Amino acid sequence: RRKKEEKEAAVLYEEFAASFGSSPNAGQILKQTEEKPPRQIDAFLEELKSRQPLENESNFAAEVDDPETTTNLYVGNLAPSVSEEALKARFEHFGPVDSVKIMWPRTDEERNRHKNCGFVSFFSRIDADEARQAMNHVEIDGYTIIVDWAKSLLAHHQDDDVPFAWHSKQ
């Protein structure tokens, strides 16, 4: 509303100045008050400013970095024949599994080692701890696996597919 009033005032001033002859400043005043179309980035920044922080955002961040609350397990010395589906089947006996990821070798050097590693993420710390204790040093496809705690992972709510925060299920 204010810009509209300024523009109208500038137009009136230009007409007024023109009645006395040419005015070098009249055109500049009109240009300064013309409205520019809003930029998309400005609208996006305003939207970000207006959003409320996530509920328990600071507590959640602390939990993610806290090794005492992780539900993610590292599984080492996996046989190349073990698939993500087979690994999940072995671990889900201890409770609902959120995700399983095997780190497949990308180089000849990694392939020549003839062993892989992976991660199994549970919804519950208790289930993960039970699996860690029971599965450590168990033989799968001729390889004795190593199971231990891994860095925390942002897990999904068990009841739906909405993550607490960003999470990749590859």
Side-chain angles (χ1 to χ4, degrees):
R1 180 179 174 189
R2 183 175 178 204
K3 286 187 178 189
K4 184 179 178 183
E5 291 173 356
E6 287 177 353
K7 187 176 180 179
E8 290 173 356
V11 169
L12 288 174
Y13 177 77
E14 190 173 6
E15 290 173 358
F16 173 74
S19 67
F20 291 102
S22 71
S23 171
N25 295 335
Q28 290 177 346
I29 292 172
L30 184 59
K31 283 181 187 177
Q32 289 175 356
T33 59
E34 287 180 0
E35 287 187 38
K36 295 179 184 177
R39 299 181 312 171
Q40 289 182 344
I41 188 71
D42 293 333
F44 177 68
L45 289 173
E46 286 301 315
E47 180 184 338
L48 287 178
K49 287 179 189 176
S50 68
R51 288 186 179 178
Q52 296 295 321
L54 294 174
E55 214 173 282
N56 300 323
E57 183 176 31
S58 60
N59 293 341
F60 182 71
E63 289 176 11
V64 171
D65 293 332
D66 185 358
E68 299 297 317
T69 61
T70 184
T71 60
N72 198 25
L73 298 176
Y74 166 81
V75 183
N77 201 38
L78 283 171
S81 58
V82 175
S83 68
E84 290 178 355
E85 293 79 20
L87 193 59
K88 182 177 182 180
R90 288 287 200 124
F91 278 83
E92 66 188 354
H93 293 291
F94 302 97
V97 172
D98 178 37
S99 66
V100 174
K101 178 66 179 163
I102 292 179
M103 308 307 290
W104 300 107
R106 294 178 294 201
T107 65
D108 287 335
E109 180 184 337
E110 290 173 345
R111 277 186 283 280
N112 290 336
R113 286 189 217 142
H114 301 290
K115 59 184 177 179
N116 297 329
C117 69
F119 299 92
V120 177
S121 179
F122 285 86
F123 288 103
S124 159
R125 168 76 177 195
I126 294 168
D127 295 341
D129 192 37
E130 192 177 319
R132 181 184 64 85
Q133 291 177 35
M135 294 296 290
N136 193 27
H137 301 295
V138 167
E139 189 174 303
I140 300 178
D141 288 358
Y143 286 70
T144 302
I145 64 170
I146 308 283
V147 180
D148 207 349
W149 295 114
K151 186 177 178 181
S152 296
L153 179 71
L154 301 179
H156 286 79
H157 289 282
Q158 186 173 353
D159 298 333
D160 59 28
D161 272 346
V162 179
F164 291 132
W166 180 84
H167 172 75
S168 175
K169 246 189 168 173
Q170 298 176 348

